[in-house]
Amino acid sequence: MAAPQATVHFVGAGPGDAELITVKGARLLREADVVVYAGSLVDRELVRTHAPQAEVWDSAGMTLAETTQVLAEAVLAGRRAVRLHTGDPAIYGAIQEQMAELDRLGIGYAVVPGVTSAFAAAASLRQELTLPEVSQTVIITRLAGRTPVPERERLSEIARIGATLVIYLSVSMIDQVVSELLQGAYTEATPVAVVARATWPDEQTVEGTLADIAAKVQAADIGKQAVIIVGDVLKARREGMAAVSKLYDAEFTHGCRNGLIT
């Protein structure tokens, strides 16, 4: 069945830097008559820059019913509406419930992706999250808080894999994070980086190991808006790489190049 014509756009604002919104997202903001944005996480300056003429609602103090009403009334009045979320809307964005409400009302919508803080943090660290012979898997997860986590997805269970982890919404519980990770494949020597408010002017980065990261985070007074990156990929810039990709290996043949025969 064909998707309904989009009348509400859910747009990822990116991690903080106003220039990291997509070209499409910025265009939709410029064209918007009504913008409902996540004011607790999205910089108001981004909205001022890209949607200076729009009617703007800060959703930080609003309920699902209230945000839905604003979007629905805009659409019914023939106005263009944007629901602006931090990072990428698909990651802890609570958009599914909003889309379900629009479905119930028969209002169409589309989603425009954004740069999530996991990748903004990796960029700030100048770090690749997947390295040959180290880790080829990245897991995005979180500790249980007011939002529960399925038992099978407890951090201690996921830690058994030993992959690169990017942990959201958990820095205020850093002691518990460390405790659960040490029940898996990681050791006290496993490197960790915590990046708070990645790409914002007041970005903070703390690096260490599972042995000392909790104390360093507490000393830096980082309590929210941070991602925790865990894994041996973080050793590469300090200790060198275990292996390099075959993609640019002169002896490796692939669809775009014949490798050298030695």
Side-chain angles (χ1 to χ4, degrees):
M1 185 172 68
Q5 183 179 1
T7 50
V8 174
H9 283 91
F10 292 88
V11 174
D17 184 339
E19 291 184 314
L20 286 177
I21 192 169
T22 65
V23 172
K24 185 172 185 177
R27 174 180 63 78
L28 289 168
L29 281 174
R30 286 195 304 272
E31 295 173 353
D33 301 302
V34 177
V35 175
V36 180
Y37 83 111
S40 60
L41 296 169
V42 176
D43 190 351
R44 181 68 170 86
E45 192 57 40
L46 185 148
V47 181
R48 291 192 186 97
T49 298
H50 296 294
Q53 305 302 319
E55 175 187 325
V56 177
W57 295 75
D58 182 349
S59 66
M62 299 171 71
T63 65
L64 174 60
E66 290 168 338
T67 60
T68 301
Q69 181 178 351
V70 170
L71 295 172
E73 288 180 352
V75 169
L76 293 173
R79 306 175 80 193
R80 292 165 293 191
V82 167
R83 179 68 167 104
L84 186 64
H85 281 267
T86 185
D88 183 284
I91 302 293
Y92 305 120
I95 63 168
Q96 206 72 47
E97 61 204 52
Q98 298 176 67
M99 293 188 293
E101 287 299 294
L102 295 178
D103 284 336
R104 183 177 61 81
L105 297 170
I107 294 173
Y109 50 84
V111 181
V112 178
V115 178
T116 188
S117 57
F119 306 131
S124 292
L125 293 167
R126 294 176 295 168
Q127 178 64 57
E128 186 175 347
L129 299 180
T130 55
L131 293 177
E133 299 184 19
V134 180
S135 177
Q136 292 292 286
T137 301
V138 179
I139 297 174
I140 293 176
T141 189
R142 59 167 296 176
L143 278 180
R146 285 181 291 182
T147 300
V149 169
E151 185 66 25
R152 67 182 180 278
E153 295 181 10
R154 286 178 58 87
L155 197 54
S156 56
E157 292 293 317
I158 290 174
R160 295 181 181 184
I161 299 172
T164 304
L165 292 187
V166 183
I167 306 169
Y168 283 58
L169 303 168
S170 304
V171 74
S172 64
M173 300 176 282
I174 189 67
D175 287 318
Q176 184 182 346
V177 169
V178 170
S179 176
E180 294 204 27
L181 291 178
L182 290 174
Q183 296 175 48
Y186 309 102
T187 71
E188 290 190 344
T190 299
V192 186
V194 174
V195 182
R197 292 173 63 81
T199 78
W200 291 68
D202 57 349
E203 174 184 296
Q204 285 180 273
T205 299
V206 174
E207 297 184 71
T209 66
L210 286 177
D212 60 16
I213 195 65
K216 288 183 174 181
V217 165
Q218 289 156 5
D221 196 28
I222 297 173
K224 60 182 180 179
Q225 283 186 262
V227 293
I228 306 164
I229 301 178
V230 183
D232 286 340
V233 294
L234 295 172
K235 294 179 180 178
R237 298 187 70 248
R238 183 177 67 252
E239 299 180 8
M241 297 179 62
V244 295
S245 169
K246 292 292 187 183
L247 182 61
Y248 302 109
D249 186 334
E251 297 180 5
F252 185 70
T253 296
H254 55 69
C256 297
R257 187 188 69 234
N258 291 322
L260 300 176
I261 299 175
T262 58

